[in-house]
Amino acid sequence: MNLDLNCMSPTLAIDFGSSPTKIAFLCRETGKPKMVELGHEIRAVMPSVFYIPPSGPVLVGDEAVQMADEDPAGIVMDIKRELHRPGKIRCGEGRPAYLRSELVSILFSEIRRRCDEEVFHNDSIDSCILTVPVCFSEPQRQKLRHAAENAGFTHVRL
């Protein structure tokens, strides 16, 4: 099959990890995979860390890590391992509670937004491929898929 890579909209490959998340795409010019470098540290991994403030938006990645010393009560980590658990995560009095899948959706949405702005310069990103651990059950897989769909990806493959 001969693909015209210049006519394809970008598809992100997202390896959502327990601590780092990695993002890659198929480079149109070379036809080879390329890691995405995002964040303040500009490295090929994004911390899978969330900061839930008393008010305002949830921060993810480097922005969340920066809040660890200032307000450690709002830090949430290891979501992937607990994706299947019911109920919301509560980080204390006065903070909103979130389902784990909602937090993952926020992460995926931020990845999509940042890649759109910083990597593809406002090219439409609507496809992603998610890595899934072999041990994930079908409900865990569906939660991951729905998190990506809620982040704005219309074409999601596991």
Side-chain angles (χ1 to χ4, degrees):
M1 182 163 93
N2 190 4
L3 296 176
D4 182 359
L5 298 176
N6 291 319
C7 293
M8 295 171 51
S9 64
T11 297
L12 296 181
I14 303 172
D15 181 12
F16 169 53
S18 297
S19 44
T21 293
K22 297 176 185 175
I23 306 110
F25 66 97
L26 186 64
C27 180
R28 290 177 177 172
E29 289 78 28
T30 66
K32 295 182 181 181
K34 183 174 182 179
M35 296 295 292
V36 174
E37 296 179 346
L38 298 174
H40 296 295
E41 302 294 323
I42 309 297
R43 59 186 183 271
V45 297
M46 180 180 205
S48 302
V49 178
F50 305 84
Y51 170 69
I52 301 176
S55 63
V58 172
L59 302 178
V60 297
D62 290 327
E63 289 82 7
V65 170
Q66 289 177 343
M67 296 303 295
D69 288 335
E70 185 177 324
D71 186 10
I75 298 295
V76 177
M77 299 173 12
D78 294 328
I79 292 291
K80 181 178 175 180
R81 294 182 183 142
E82 299 182 348
L83 188 61
H84 66 286
R85 295 185 65 194
K88 294 185 174 189
I89 293 178
R90 302 189 186 283
C91 289
E93 193 69 32
R95 295 178 197 264
Y98 291 90
L99 294 169
R100 288 158 184 82
S101 60
E102 289 176 315
L103 291 174
V104 174
S105 184
I106 291 169
L107 174 70
F108 290 166
S109 182
E110 182 67 5
I111 288 169
R112 185 171 175 257
R113 183 190 69 78
R114 301 267 315 269
C115 284
D116 180 49
E117 291 174 5
E118 299 173 25
V119 179
F120 300 108
H121 308 292
N122 298 317
D123 199 352
S124 177
I125 302 169
D126 62 358
S127 301
C128 73
I129 301 169
L130 303 172
T131 60
V132 181
V134 174
C135 64
F136 260 31
S137 66
E138 190 55 35
Q140 286 172 298
R141 291 169 183 266
Q142 289 308 314
K143 283 187 180 189
L144 202 57
R145 176 187 296 281
H146 290 144
E149 290 168 348
N150 288 337
F153 291 106
T154 55
H155 300 72
V156 179
R157 290 189 302 165
L158 303 180

